[in-house]
Amino acid sequence: MKDPSFRRSAALFRAFLREGADPATAYTLLARDAADQVERHTPLRGKVVVDVGGGDGYFTREFRRRGAQGYLFEPDPAEIGPGQRADTVVADGYLLPLADGAADVCFSSNVLEHVADPHTFLGEMARVTRPGGLIYVSYTNWLSPWGGHEWAPWHYFGADRARRRYERRTGRPAKHRLGENLFAIGVGETLRHVRGRSDVAVLSARSRYWPVLPQLVPRIPLLREFATWNLLLILRRCS
C-alpha cells in the first residue's frame, strides 16, 4: 500500500476495528506496513533488528520474513504467544540485556504510552543501537481519540470515569489503568526530548496513519496533541 494514501489509511483503520475479533489479520497488516516504513531508510535483509515490547511477535516475524535477524524482548510473559516463547527474551525495556550498539534497528510499536519513564526507555533504545543505525518508535498520544485505549474516547471526560463506564458496559475489568500501565504521554514533550538528545538525529516525525501530509500535523502546537493519533519517530543513532 502506498504510504501515505487514503487506501492505506482505510485498510489499517478497518483492521484496527476488527482487532478484537481478528488480531492476526490486524497485526500482520500493521507489521508489513511498519517494515515497509523501516525499509524506506535501510534494507532489512541481514540486519539485526530488536523488537522491544512486541508481544505476540508479529513484527519480529515480519522482519525475519524479510531476511533480518529479528529478536523479540517482551517484559510480560502473558503477552507472548505459544508459538513465540522459544524465540523471546523476557526483559524490561528499561534495561535490555544487550551490549551497546548491538542492533542495526531498534523497533518499538505502541509501547511508549505504557511506560512510566519514556525518556529512559528511549535512551535504552538508543544505547543498544549501533552508530548509524535506526530507531523506530511509535505510540498513541493521550489526547488523541484513541488515547484511552479500550475506554476511548471517554477518557476526555476523565480516566477513572471512562474506565468505570467501560467496566459497567462490558461487565469485565479494563485492561488499562492510568498511572499503572497507561500514561498520559503527549506529542510536543516527546518531540522536544528527542530533538534535544545528542545521541540521535530525527529523520522523520509524523502521524503514523494520516493519509495526507503526515509530517504536517505534529508541527502544529496544540492541534498535534489531538490530531496526530499516533506519533511515529524514526531516528538515526549518532556516533
Side-chain angles (χ1 to χ4, degrees):
M1 298 180 293
K2 182 181 178 182
D3 175 21
S5 70
F6 285 99
R7 179 174 175 269
R8 167 187 172 270
S9 296
L12 290 171
F13 188 63
R14 286 194 300 268
F16 168 75
L17 293 177
R18 296 194 298 267
E19 175 193 357
D22 188 7
T25 297
Y27 285 107
T28 297
L29 180 63
L30 189 60
R32 290 174 181 170
D33 187 72
D36 287 343
Q37 290 171 331
V38 172
E39 289 205 300
R40 288 183 177 182
H41 298 273
T42 185
L44 283 166
R45 182 165 298 278
K47 297 297 197 309
V48 174
V49 181
V50 171
D51 180 5
V52 184
D56 204 19
Y58 290 100
F59 297 100
T60 301
R61 287 193 289 274
E62 180 62 23
F63 296 141
R64 291 173 181 168
R65 190 182 71 83
R66 299 188 186 210
Q69 300 175 53
Y71 301 93
L72 174 58
F73 294 81
E74 169 58 48
D76 186 357
E79 294 290 332
I80 303 169
Q84 194 65 28
R85 287 175 184 163
D87 301 319
T88 302
V89 178
V90 178
D92 195 317
Y94 291 134
L95 190 62
L96 294 169
L98 291 169
D100 294 358
D104 296 301
V105 178
C106 194
F107 177 93
S108 175
S109 175
N110 293 327
V111 176
L112 204 63
E113 71 265 35
H114 300 295
V115 300
D117 186 351
H119 296 174
T120 297
F121 186 91
L122 289 168
E124 184 68 351
M125 291 185 70
R127 181 189 70 81
V128 303
T129 306
R130 67 166 178 81
L134 287 183
I135 301 163
Y136 177 113
V137 58
S138 78
Y139 67 91
T140 303
N141 46 298
W142 171 247
L143 289 177
S144 82
W146 317 109
H149 286 50
E150 72 269 30
W151 24 275
W154 300 96
H155 64 296
Y156 287 133
F157 300 97
D160 289 340
R161 179 181 297 179
R163 179 178 52 78
R164 290 195 300 269
R165 179 187 180 277
Y166 171 86
E167 291 175 347
R168 287 195 305 270
R169 184 171 58 86
T170 64
R172 60 178 182 268
K175 179 179 180 180
H176 298 100
R177 286 178 175 265
L178 189 66
E180 295 181 15
N181 59 0
L182 181 64
F183 298 88
I185 184 171
V187 174
E189 64 190 81
T190 306
L191 290 174
R192 287 189 292 272
H193 173 72
V194 296
R195 288 169 178 161
R197 296 187 68 101
S198 61
D199 54 355
V200 298
V202 179
L203 300 184
S204 178
R206 54 166 287 187
S207 169
R208 188 176 185 179
Y209 303 121
W210 265 64
V212 292
L213 300 175
Q215 296 88 0
L216 177 62
V217 172
R219 296 178 183 174
I220 305 173
L222 187 60
L223 176 65
R224 63 191 174 194
E225 303 298 336
F226 298 89
T228 301
W229 287 22
N230 189 289
L231 180 67
L232 168 59
L233 297 170
I234 298 181
L235 314 175
R236 178 81 70 190
R237 177 68 161 93
C238 300
S239 299

